[in-house]
Each structure stands twice: as C-alpha cells, then as structure tokens.
Amino acid sequence: FVKIMKQLSYNKGAMRGGIIFFLVFLAAVFAPVLAPYDYAAISVKERLTGPSAAHLFGTDQMGRDIFSRILYGARYSLTIGIGSVALSTGLGIVFGAVSGYYGGRIDNIIMRVCDVIQSIPGLILNIALACALGPGIFNTILALGFEGIAGSARLMRSSILNVRKMEYLEAASIGNCSDIRIMARHVFPNTFAPMLVQATMGVGARIMMAASMSYIGIGVQPPIPEWGAMLADSRNFLMEYPYMCLIPGICIMIVVLSLNLLGDGLRDALDPKLKK
C-alpha cells in the first residue's frame, strides 16, 4: 500500500482527484453537521431566491435550501455509485474466478451468459431493470449492479488466465492446497489491480447513469435530493433560474472527473511497466 501511494504521488492529477473525492465523501458523511437547513424544509416566502449569504446556492421552487440538498444528495449519489459497483465487482469476481480457474464447460456457460448480457446496450438494460423493479435507491443499485456483472466477470477471468499457469500456482497445487486457498492466497492478490482500477472508474460511471435514470423518472424519486433527481426537478426553471440545474450538474461533473483522474493514476501506479 505504501509503495502504491508513493507511486501515486508522482501523478499530480490523480492526487488532486483523490483529494477532491475524499472531500466530497467527507461532506456526504457529515452532511447533517454541515447542512445549515433541513433538506426537506419548505419556505414559500424564500422560494426561487438566488445564491446569497443566507442560502449559499440559493433555493428551489419550493423554498428548499439547495446547498443542504446538495450535501445530502452526495450521500445518495455516492451510495448508489459505490453500492452498485460493489455488487457488480463482488459477483463479477466470483463468476470470473470460477470461469477462469476451472475453465471447460462451466467457463463456456458463464461466458455465454455474459455475452447475452453485454449484447444489450447498458442504458436500455438499466431502464428495463429499473422499470421492472420500480423506482427507489435500492432498486437502482440492483439495476446498475446487475448491468456491470458481465464486464467485471470478463476482466477477472482474463486476469486469472494470465496467472493460472504460473509456477507458483503449480507448486501450491502440488502442495495439496485447496482451490479456495489457492485463489485467496495466490490468485486474487495478483489479479486485484485491474479490478481496483475498473471499480474506481465504475463509481463515476454509475453516478452518471443513476442521474440519467432519475432525470427520466425511473430512478430515485423526489423529494429525495439525489443529484439526478434534483436536475429533473429543476429542468422547467432552466432559463429563468439556471443555478438550480447548474449546481447539481457541476457536482456530478466534479465527482466523475475526480474518480477518472484517480482511476488513471491507480492504473499507472499498479502497472509494473510504468513504475519509477
């Protein structure tokens, strides 16, 4: 870990991305402390007021403080992004490991299922799953997580195929180590790097996808202040009060950019060919 952080420190863009994401994460965790108002509190007298000292990001059409909603919205957006990636990566590791390590018929079955899943455009599959499951945070996580399982499984399988015939695995097998022990002690530590990079970048992609689903009304529903739902809730006021759309949109852009920069840095830090 120390070596990875040292290598990562050479990449200034990755460090900036990591710091930005860490600050956003802290803001989400401490939203109840940092938020000056209740995110659901309505004040008709203060509706549609621009950014000011009293309301840093202004108020929406119902008089709710946008800054408070942004802070709480970070909780929901990050929960969806991290939760869906954890689901897809976890199941992808299991299926990919079984497929790559054992091969044969089970490998063929798993890969053909992945082919079927990946033959459907991701957005269409997410929309279909979201419509079938219904709106809500948990269902959105399930829909986004399922869509990413095939890609994670393929990546894990390809990583295992690169190390399956290594001498240290043959030695462990001759030493009567169980398959589970071999994968846990010898295979996974040598295949986690690409999975970590994919997961890091995947969080940003899932946040954007969740925002897209909320925007068209099949993801998180108002009054929950998820950033995509905030965009959908304010689209009718774009011309007169552009700050209502710009602020959550900029927040999404910043988080996704920070994760992409961090993912690029991790890829370089974990690639032995690029180590200094």
Side-chain angles (χ1 to χ4, degrees):
F1 178 77
V2 175
K3 292 181 179 179
I4 293 175
M5 291 302 300
K6 183 179 179 180
Q7 186 69 24
L8 193 63
S9 65
Y10 295 130
N11 191 320
K12 302 303 181 183
M15 292 301 295
R16 293 189 184 99
I19 292 172
I20 291 172
F21 180 74
F22 181 68
L23 293 176
V24 173
F25 183 82
L26 286 180
V29 171
F30 295 102
V33 178
L34 298 175
Y37 304 95
D38 181 355
Y39 74 85
I42 297 174
S43 177
V44 178
K45 294 181 180 180
E46 296 181 307
R47 62 187 300 270
L48 297 175
T49 60
S52 63
H55 299 282
L56 190 60
F57 290 164
T59 60
D60 62 10
Q61 70 274 21
M62 301 181 69
R64 297 172 298 192
D65 182 64
I66 294 179
F67 179 67
S68 299
R69 292 178 63 78
I70 286 291
L71 290 175
Y72 278 93
R75 281 187 158 191
Y76 295 108
S77 292
L78 292 182
T79 296
I80 292 172
I82 295 173
S84 59
V85 167
L87 175 62
S88 63
T89 302
L91 293 178
I93 286 175
V94 173
F95 291 125
V98 172
S99 176
Y101 187 78
Y102 292 104
R105 185 175 181 181
I106 190 170
D107 176 35
N108 189 46
I109 292 173
I110 293 176
M111 288 301 102
R112 298 298 74 77
V113 173
C114 290
D115 287 339
V116 172
I117 295 175
Q118 292 187 308
S119 67
I120 306 173
L123 180 60
I124 295 177
L125 179 59
N126 286 326
I127 291 175
L129 291 172
C131 290
L133 296 172
I137 296 175
F138 182 71
N139 290 341
T140 301
I141 292 175
L142 290 179
L144 294 174
F146 180 83
E147 184 266 334
I149 292 174
S152 296
R154 282 190 177 280
L155 180 59
M156 187 64 189
R157 174 181 178 271
S158 65
S159 299
I160 288 181
L161 290 177
N162 290 331
V163 302
R164 189 174 61 177
K165 299 302 182 180
M166 294 295 180
E167 294 180 355
Y168 60 85
L169 291 184
E170 295 181 3
S173 179
I174 294 174
N176 293 324
C177 291
S178 64
D179 290 343
I180 295 178
R181 182 179 177 85
I182 291 174
M183 284 192 285
R185 294 290 301 274
H186 303 288
V187 175
F188 289 154
N190 292 284
T191 58
F192 86 100
M195 299 300 298
L196 178 61
V197 174
Q198 185 194 53
T200 302
M201 294 186 171
V203 173
R206 295 300 187 278
I207 289 175
M208 286 197 300
M209 186 64 71
S212 301
M213 293 168 62
S214 298
Y215 189 82
I216 61 178
I218 59 175
V220 179
Q221 301 295 302
I224 295 176
E226 190 266 337
W227 290 341
M230 292 179 66
L231 282 171
D233 204 28
S234 60
R235 58 190 167 189
N236 294 329
F237 303 88
L238 178 60
M239 299 303 295
E240 294 84 2
Y241 308 97
Y243 65 89
M244 291 176 59
C245 282
L246 287 176
I247 291 173
I250 290 173
C251 289
I252 294 173
M253 180 192 71
I254 290 174
V255 171
V256 173
L257 178 61
S258 68
L259 286 168
N260 287 342
L261 290 173
L262 180 59
D264 285 338
L266 284 173
R267 180 189 58 199
D268 296 343
L270 295 171
D271 190 343
K273 297 178 181 179
L274 300 175
K275 289 184 177 180
K276 297 181 180 181

